[in-house]
Amino acid sequence: MRVAFGVLGPTVAESDGRALALKGPRHRAVLARLVVARRRVVPVAHLVDDLWADPPPGAVGALQTFVAALRRVLEPDRPPRAPARLLVTDGPGYALRPEPDAVDAWRFETAVGAAAKLPATRALPRLEEALTLWRGPAFAEFEEEDWARGERSRLAELRLQAVERRARTQLALGLAAEAVPDLDVHLAAHPWREDAWWLLALALYRQDRQGDALGVLRRARAVLADQLGVDPGPRLRRLEADILAQEPGLDPPAEPTATAARLWTRTAAAYDRTVAAGARARLETTVSLIRNLAVTSGGGLAAARQHRMEAIVAAEEFGDPDLTARVIGAYDVPAIWTRGDDPELAQRIVGAAERALTALPGDAHDAARCRLLATIALETRGSRAPRGPRAAHEAEGIARRLDDPALLAFALNGAFMQSFTRAGLAARRDEIGAELVELAARHDLVTYEVLGHLIRLQARGALADFAAADRHAAAVDRLAERHELPLAGVFTHWYRALRLATSGQPEGAETAYREAAARLDGAGMPGLERGLLPLALLCLRLEHKRTRSERDPGPVEIDPGADWGPYRPWAAPFAMLASGRRAEARAALRALPEPPGDLMYEACCCLEAVVALEVGDRSVLERARIRLLPAAGELAGAGSGLITLGPVKDHLAGITAALGMT
């Protein structure tokens, strides 16, 4: 159970979105006082003095009672006599040891500090998010307490600075109209803030409201004289003079997006003037644009998919196999998900790559040949045809011989996609991911560095090494933020839902899964999206029932009307069992094909085993056992980085017992 604390307003504690019952004012005072200490120990004597102006004889005992009550609320599942994890006894006193992001005030400070180092386009949402954390004055019910006064003042000042920084950021982005209402409210409560007056006047001026801007500066002069007995500072006086003179320096700065747009337009025009319409260079440049488009957003990925085949067809029309090979191989966009988004398109791309391979002279063009082979390995993902593994192996060999880092990264991506020929290959994929991370970091191949971390996240999850998987998830988020790769965050969001599932928090995990599924909307990845949420919820419920060790939990809850996508064959028997159609479930179970060779292979095999155990089908249990044995040391499904059905060895133990084996 993860506990979060709120002090930006009345003091509260909550778990999984539910408020925890803090008994009385002194219980909240103990909690707030320990938050003020920021994880440091507060001696018992100091706590007693802070809680009572005139401590009664039994004050220490009363404090101990408060602490014991708080511990029961904060850690209700802690076994008797087990040491506390959150509100701990340490030496002469007590300390509160939540995670760094579990206190709203700490999150606020972190977000404001981070925003100061970001460009305006990324700083603004961070500041907006930070300011929404405030529910009222900090430590609202303790404004008279000496121990809270300094922290209240510090946080209040930080909030005022954040409001003004948000306005400054809005002005930098050309959002003057959005800045005005919040600045008006801000100044009504804090009229002595000269920076706020300056920002409000400038925002009005940039909306062509020169008279209103001058009126604001006159109001500022009157307020400062009446309330503080001072004249406006030099910055306000200079702004007034500049407005009267209509100085050009007051105009909004050229926005980076506008500058970039102008640069793009001029460059495109120059390209059109200098490169002939039918030139091969124009086609290769188009493919480079398509490749870059694929990593910008979901819309970009979908558009890249749409235009990629058009470029290949255009290249084949030139009748030049080397050009076709370059156009096909230039689309070296890292791929992490092992089910294709458009199987028909993938088949057409493989056909074009095979034709180009056949037409290329055999005595040269090794780099082009390598890229074509890597493309075949990538586009035949999930297939059980032997061509994919052979192409991956050959591409990797050529790339290593040529000693080309970018080529090797592309070939390793193909090798990853073909590392699902059987269950239990997480360790092999971890090796591929580790090499990709090291290679990409050394040669500044950022997108492949992200891919390597994602592969390792999946592999370490399969091997139940979540400490390492967490580190790789954090690395992905850092790189994605720094290099504007928003699609990478889709996978880390799903991974964090998986972590809740593995930590025995089904309600929190279900909420997280639904939030993660919402992020897939518009992400341009139908091969990942279709059927994933209902599958995740089915696995979550099955695993929750298994870990509760119920002898006869009954049919698992399932939504037969959901879009199960490619997972419908493995979900259908559960729906049949839930409606009492055991014979149909058995028939559907026996008709199941072998699951595709992808990241969901072990999970689908375990789903078969769960139903086979329920209906007592020995033949299905025997085939599931054979398929799952190589993965006995892994977690079923966790290698996807998305879902889990628990340890494979537990499923094997159930199968072995049902078959009467030892």
Side-chain angles (χ1 to χ4, degrees):
M1 181 177 83
R2 185 179 188 276
V3 181
F5 301 93
V7 294
L8 299 180
T11 301
V12 295
E14 62 179 37
S15 174
D16 297 330
R18 292 178 287 105
L20 300 180
L22 303 177
K23 286 189 174 181
R26 286 215 163 90
H27 295 78
R28 288 192 294 276
V30 171
L31 205 56
R33 178 64 184 89
L34 294 176
V35 169
V36 168
R38 301 184 72 89
R39 299 173 63 89
R40 294 187 296 272
V41 174
V42 181
V44 168
H46 291 183
L47 279 170
V48 167
D49 287 341
D50 287 337
L51 260 62
W52 288 277
D54 185 14
V60 172
L63 174 62
Q64 292 169 342
T65 301
F66 300 153
V67 169
L70 283 168
R71 284 173 172 164
R72 285 193 295 272
V73 171
L74 300 178
E75 299 182 67
D77 299 327
R78 181 168 58 91
R81 292 183 294 280
R85 180 179 58 86
L86 271 175
L87 205 172
V88 303
T89 302
D90 191 345
Y94 300 108
L96 189 69
R97 300 274 168 79
E99 295 297 320
D101 64 344
V103 177
D104 58 0
W106 303 353
R107 292 203 308 277
F108 172 73
E109 292 181 69
T110 300
V112 172
K117 302 171 186 175
L118 295 173
T121 52
R122 289 158 63 193
L124 184 57
R126 292 298 295 272
L127 289 166
E128 295 279 10
E129 180 184 0
L131 287 165
T132 61
L133 294 172
W134 285 74
R135 297 168 288 110
F139 301 95
E141 63 266 67
F142 304 113
E143 60 181 333
E144 301 300 327
E145 303 294 341
D146 289 343
W147 53 265
R149 189 167 293 120
E151 187 69 356
R152 279 170 50 84
S153 297
R154 189 182 69 84
L155 288 168
E157 174 59 26
L158 190 59
R159 180 184 176 279
L160 298 179
Q161 292 176 10
V163 170
E164 290 162 12
R165 181 173 291 165
R166 176 179 62 184
R168 195 172 295 110
T169 306
Q170 289 169 324
L171 289 175
L173 292 171
L175 304 173
E178 286 84 344
V180 169
D182 288 334
L183 284 170
D184 270 331
V185 173
H186 179 63
L187 279 164
H190 310 284
W192 57 89
R193 306 281 298 186
E194 288 200 36
D195 273 357
W197 288 113
W198 187 92
L199 288 164
L200 178 57
L202 181 59
L204 290 167
Y205 181 79
R206 286 185 178 175
Q207 294 178 73
D208 297 323
R209 296 168 61 183
Q210 180 177 349
D212 289 337
L214 291 169
V216 161
L217 292 173
R218 284 193 292 271
R219 274 171 47 211
R221 182 184 300 277
V223 166
L224 292 170
D226 291 346
Q227 296 194 12
L228 300 178
V230 297
D231 290 328
R235 197 160 179 246
L236 283 179
R237 295 198 302 272
R238 187 164 56 250
L239 178 61
E240 185 174 24
D242 288 346
I243 288 174
L244 288 167
Q246 297 186 354
E247 285 290 335
L250 297 180
D251 294 334
E255 297 178 36
T257 50
T259 302
R262 287 195 298 272
L263 177 61
W264 176 273
T265 302
R266 290 197 302 268
T267 304
Y271 191 87
D272 282 340
R273 287 193 305 271
T274 56
V275 181
R280 288 164 166 78
R282 186 178 286 264
L283 182 58
E284 292 188 68
T285 302
T286 300
V287 176
S288 296
L289 175 60
I290 291 171
R291 178 186 59 198
N292 293 335
L293 190 64
V295 299
T296 58
S297 66
L301 180 59
R305 224 172 14 247
Q306 175 186 346
H307 298 306
R308 184 184 177 193
M309 194 65 212
E310 295 173 13
I312 294 172
V313 170
E316 287 191 299
E317 289 174 354
F318 279 97
D320 181 348
D322 186 52
L323 173 66
T324 302
R326 291 199 305 273
V327 167
I328 293 173
Y331 191 84
D332 53 356
V333 176
I336 184 64
W337 192 239
T338 48
R339 188 181 294 272
D341 294 314
D342 188 335
E344 183 182 344
L345 174 62
Q347 191 173 2
R348 294 178 65 195
I349 291 169
V350 168
E354 295 283 21
R355 290 192 295 272
L357 270 174
T358 302
L360 278 176
D363 57 349
H365 306 282
D366 274 353
R369 190 177 301 278
C370 178
R371 287 184 172 274
L372 289 171
L373 289 163
T375 299
I376 292 169
L378 282 161
E379 297 300 336
T380 55
R381 69 187 82 175
S383 165
R384 296 204 169 276
R387 177 54 171 153
R390 284 204 312 268
H393 179 74
E394 191 177 347
E396 187 178 345
I398 295 172
R400 292 192 188 281
R401 188 175 73 249
L402 294 178
D403 195 24
D404 183 327
L407 204 57
L408 179 56
F410 191 16
L412 287 172
N413 198 174
F416 163 73
M417 284 298 179
Q418 296 299 329
S419 62
F420 299 88
T421 51
R422 62 169 175 82
L425 291 173
R428 165 63 182 141
R429 293 192 285 276
D430 193 42
E431 292 173 0
I432 294 172
E435 183 173 3
L436 265 174
V437 169
E438 189 276 332
L439 176 77
R442 187 154 37 93
H443 295 283
D444 197 26
L445 305 170
V446 174
T447 54
Y448 280 107
E449 188 176 357
V450 170
L451 174 66
H453 283 297
L454 284 172
I455 291 173
R456 296 209 70 192
L457 177 157
Q458 294 172 341
R460 299 320 299 177
L463 299 170
D465 182 5
F466 286 111
D470 288 348
R471 291 195 294 273
H472 291 295
V476 169
D477 286 339
R478 285 195 302 272
L479 288 166
E481 183 175 19
R482 187 182 311 146
H483 298 283
E484 296 183 340
L485 302 171
L487 296 180
V490 169
F491 294 95
T492 55
H493 210 81
W494 272 89
Y495 169 72
R496 292 189 172 92
L498 163 65
R499 289 291 281 118
L500 288 172
T502 59
S503 60
Q505 301 181 55
E507 292 180 4
E510 179 163 344
T511 300
Y513 273 133
R514 293 188 186 280
E515 291 174 354
R519 287 176 66 97
L520 278 170
D521 186 22
M525 295 184 278
L528 173 66
E529 179 181 8
R530 286 205 63 216
L532 183 55
L533 178 60
L535 177 68
L537 298 181
L538 171 61
C539 293
L540 181 66
R541 289 159 190 166
L542 286 170
E543 182 62 2
H544 183 50
K545 287 181 179 293
R546 183 188 71 82
T547 55
R548 287 191 301 175
S549 302
E550 295 179 7
R551 287 186 58 130
D552 185 15
V556 71
E557 180 186 347
I558 187 170
D559 180 5
D563 179 9
W564 288 90
Y567 309 111
R568 179 166 292 281
W570 287 270
F574 288 95
M576 295 167 186
L577 284 177
S579 59
R581 296 176 289 153
R582 292 177 65 85
E584 289 182 49
R586 181 191 290 267
L589 189 63
R590 290 193 169 186
L592 282 174
E594 183 173 8
D598 61 22
L599 281 161
M600 293 298 192
Y601 181 80
E602 290 90 346
C604 288
C605 290
C606 287
L607 288 173
E608 290 184 34
V610 170
V611 178
L613 285 168
E614 177 68 23
V615 301
D617 192 312
R618 292 182 62 88
S619 64
V620 174
L621 287 173
E622 285 168 353
R623 81 184 183 196
R625 178 178 172 276
I626 292 169
R627 291 171 180 172
L628 287 171
L629 271 174
E634 297 183 9
L635 293 182
S640 66
L642 312 173
I643 66 168
T644 183
L645 272 166
V648 172
K649 65 180 177 61
D650 290 355
H651 292 274
L652 287 169
I655 294 170
T656 300
L659 293 174
M661 304 172 65
T662 57

